[in-house]
Amino acid sequence: MIWILLAFLSAALLGCYDVCKKYALQDNAVLPVLFLNTLFCSMIFLPFLGYAPFGGWEVQKYILLKSCIVLCSWVLGYIGMKNLPITLVGPINATRPVMVLLGALLLFGEKLNAYQWTGVALAVLSFFMLSRSGRKEGIDFRHNKWIFCIVGAAVMGAVSGLYDKYLMTSATEGGIGLNRITVQCYYNFYQCLMMGLAVLAFRNHGRETTPFRWSWSIPLISIFLSMADFAYFHSLSLDGALVSVVSMVRRGSVVVSFLLGALLFHEKNLRSKALDLLLVLAGMVFLYLGTR
């Protein structure tokens, strides 16, 4: 089954994306790194413009809103990633499917079965255990602003996922039915424009304490992200592909980022965090079982 192999490939690439992001942000200014990421992503999708119908303001206003949601998630995520261990950030981000599921429960009236409630319970338990692991490194989840950034990024990412469902669902089923290539191309362009304005507005902020430095890991962020998205969407386009399976496999990227992060950044309390990670993965398995 090629589609499942592509899903695993996408997960591996997403894990590499997180590691490159962590490496690029070490002792570096956040806004320029994020701006360059959006710039390189826009350049990657530039050749696809010919296949992306513009649709006028009636279409672009929805894409502009998506850009704002994703950019808020990215800003918070980059700030948190810079200041926290990647072996702590990854498992927190991996709880995002639970947030999407709970959002669908509230917004779309979906009902959870026993498997899904078990997955939610395991995810909540893993979060409390992560807070225990964080305290060993002097990180208090209740008062640490960087933890709030990562949690906020995960929440905004879940909002983006729910909004994507609305954008991509056909009009006959209650959505808008936008062209996927149009959304991918233009939301990257809007993000690049907004980040360019932000960099100009805050160009003197933090220059003395955290100057920008170039790293080849910066373009790798965009390359790995674009490749991961390409593998993801190509997987979904193949006959027999199961969206629920592909989505859960993609969240397995946390395993790659955890292992590479432990190897490259020599982080602490890995045994405790590994147990927390296993709880997150177990929760994902139960969520998958509940969607079959």
Side-chain angles (χ1 to χ4, degrees), residues 101-112 165:
L101 192 64
L102 293 177
L105 175 68
L106 295 173
L107 296 176
F108 305 118
E110 296 184 5
K111 296 182 179 180
L112 305 187
K165 179 178 180 179

Side-chain angles (χ1 to χ4, degrees), residues 172-246:
T172 57
E173 297 180 1
I176 303 176
L178 297 187
N179 180 282
R180 176 176 58 81
I181 299 297
T182 297
V183 174
Q184 279 189 286
C185 287
Y186 284 101
Y187 101 82
N188 277 296
F189 298 151
Y190 290 140
Q191 285 188 132
C192 183
L193 177 61
M194 287 186 284
M195 281 309 307
L197 294 174
V199 169
L200 289 175
F202 296 97
R203 60 185 179 277
N204 295 320
H205 179 72
R207 177 175 292 179
E208 295 181 0
T209 56
T210 313
F212 171 72
R213 61 176 179 81
W214 169 258
S215 169
W216 283 106
S217 60
I218 295 175
L220 287 178
I221 297 173
S222 303
I223 292 172
F224 278 122
L225 178 60
S226 299
M227 291 172 62
D229 285 345
F230 180 84
Y232 168 66
F233 286 115
H234 186 51
S235 173
L236 293 180
S237 69
L238 297 177
D239 293 337
L242 301 175
V243 177
S244 58
V245 178
V246 174

Side-chain angles (χ1 to χ4, degrees), residues 65-129:
L65 177 57
K66 174 180 171 58
S67 301
C68 294
I69 295 171
V70 174
L71 196 57
C72 285
S73 177
W74 281 11
V75 169
L76 292 171
Y78 272 56
I79 293 173
M81 178 69 83
K82 176 182 177 178
N83 294 282
L84 291 171
I86 191 174
T87 50
L88 197 62
V89 171
I92 295 175
N93 278 330
T95 62
R96 189 177 300 180
V98 175
M99 299 179 187
V100 173
L101 192 64
L102 293 177
L105 175 68
L106 295 173
L107 296 176
F108 305 118
E110 296 184 5
K111 296 182 179 180
L112 305 187
N113 55 41
Y115 284 116
Q116 291 170 321
W117 277 119
T118 302
V120 170
L122 286 173
V124 172
L125 176 61
S126 70
F127 189 83
F128 283 108
M129 292 188 66

Side-chain angles (χ1 to χ4, degrees), residues 7-21 74 81 86 96 221 223-232 246-247 249-258 260:
F8 277 107
L9 175 61
S10 178
L13 292 169
L14 277 179
C16 294
Y17 154 75
D18 279 335
V19 172
C20 289
K21 184 166 59 175
W74 281 11
M81 178 69 83
I86 191 174
R96 189 177 300 180
I221 297 173
I223 292 172
F224 278 122
L225 178 60
S226 299
M227 291 172 62
D229 285 345
F230 180 84
Y232 168 66
V246 174
S247 298
V249 168
R250 257 171 72 92
R251 287 298 99 200
S253 62
V254 65
V255 176
V256 177
S257 62
F258 187 94
L260 289 179

